[in-house]
């Protein structure tokens, strides 16, 4: 029973550590409000980096990862690290909440003066009453599963903050038991 107590304590400490790290990350993002350090970058590169970092997790779960990016650049002004966190959080959630053998799709495209990123999954979905709350800090759709996966309840709050700090928006559509689709809209950088 002493071993069980130590295992539970270690698990709680690990959970607290993840939450503190996520809070520090959100705090850093909030303190970097100034857009002076934004640079011209290609959203396709951010998406490719994120996919490269998380594709092995999708493979381990037997998920089909579908990726659609255009041949032409999707240039925006932004903070590369913050945008990488945005894509990582959306993709990580899609992988975590999609059952083995299903699919996750990542699509990026441009239209007029906007750039769109969509992360869609065939996962557990989100109940209609929870859709308005998913971007709140510490809100968890599936508390038991989130704890089991090591979720902090801050990932989507970070996504929302990053989108807004880049003069963009994020929205979600979902159906319980069918899947979810998160779309981020960002302003395109003017052509040179």
């Amino acid at each position: 029973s002493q071993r069980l107590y130590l295992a539970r304590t270690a698990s709680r400490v690990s959970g607290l550590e993840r939450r503190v790290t996520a809070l520090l990350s959100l705090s850093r993002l909030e303190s970097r409000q100034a857009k002076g350090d934004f640079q011209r970058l290609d959203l396709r590169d951010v998406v490719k980096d994120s996919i490269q970092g998380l594709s092995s997790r999708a493979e381990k779960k037997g998920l089909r990862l579908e990726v659609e990016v255009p041949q032409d650049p999707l240039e925006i002004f932004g903070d590369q690290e913050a945008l990488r966190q945005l894509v990582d959080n959306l993709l990580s959630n899609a992988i975590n909440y999609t059952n083995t053998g299903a699919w996750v799709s990542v699509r990026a495209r441009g239209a007029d003066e906007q750039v769109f990123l969509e992360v869609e999954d065939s996962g557990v979905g989100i109940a209609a009453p929870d859709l308005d709350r998913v971007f709140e800090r510490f809100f968890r759709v599936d508390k038991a599963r989130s704890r089991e996966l090591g979720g902090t309840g801050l990932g989507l709050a970070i996504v929302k903050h990053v989108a807004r700090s880049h003069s963009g928006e994020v929205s979600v559509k979902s159906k319980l038991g069918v899947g979810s689709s998160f779309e981020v809209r960002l302003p395109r950088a003017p052509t040179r």
Side-chain angles (χ1 to χ4, degrees):
S1 70
Q2 192 174 26
R3 195 172 283 174
L4 181 62
Y5 172 78
L6 288 173
R8 281 188 186 149
T9 303
S11 175
R12 287 193 182 119
V13 167
S14 178
L16 282 171
E17 185 180 13
R18 280 191 300 274
R19 189 170 278 190
V20 166
T21 301
L23 276 169
L24 285 171
S25 175
L26 189 55
S27 177
R28 264 195 310 273
L29 289 168
E30 287 174 344
S31 68
R32 286 160 58 187
Q33 289 289 345
K35 295 182 182 180
D37 58 349
F38 277 20
Q39 58 186 345
R40 184 182 283 267
L41 52 88
D42 189 340
L43 185 64
R44 297 176 311 165
D45 296 334
V46 179
V47 169
K48 287 172 188 171
D49 286 348
S50 181
I51 286 165
Q52 193 172 4
L54 292 168
S55 61
S56 63
R57 275 181 46 198
E59 282 172 29
K60 279 180 191 156
K61 267 189 98 171
L63 297 177
R64 192 171 76 251
L65 192 53
E66 301 167 356
V67 182
E68 241 180 80
V69 292
Q71 286 190 323
D72 295 328
L74 295 173
E75 290 191 332
I76 58 173
F77 280 109
D79 177 326
Q80 181 128 14
E81 182 191 333
L83 288 164
R84 171 69 191 268
Q85 275 190 289
L86 178 148
V87 180
D88 280 357
N89 283 335
L90 288 176
L91 186 52
S92 184
N93 276 358
I95 291 167
N96 286 343
Y97 292 97
T98 300
N99 295 323
T100 302
W103 56 268
V104 170
S105 168
V106 181
R107 291 185 291 276
R109 63 185 172 84
D112 300 324
E113 282 133 39
Q114 287 195 306
V115 167
F116 297 87
L117 169 71
E118 185 181 18
V119 177
E120 186 178 5
D121 64 60
S122 55
V124 297
I126 303 163
D130 292 335
L131 284 174
D132 290 338
R133 300 194 59 207
V134 293
F135 298 104
E136 291 175 12
R137 293 175 189 208
F138 305 116
F139 182 77
R140 295 174 177 176
V141 171
D142 182 341
K143 290 173 181 58
R145 189 168 186 171
S146 183
R147 263 193 303 274
E148 180 189 313
L149 295 166
T152 61
L154 287 165
L156 291 176
I158 289 172
V159 167
K160 181 179 181 179
H161 179 77
V162 171
R164 288 205 169 157
S165 70
H166 285 76
S167 303
E169 284 296 326
V170 59
S171 59
V172 59
K173 292 177 193 163
S174 187
K175 199 167 182 184
L176 205 55
V178 176
S180 302
S181 174
F182 288 84
E183 183 180 75
V184 178
R185 297 172 302 289
L186 300 169
R188 192 196 281 266
T191 52
R192 295 181 228 216

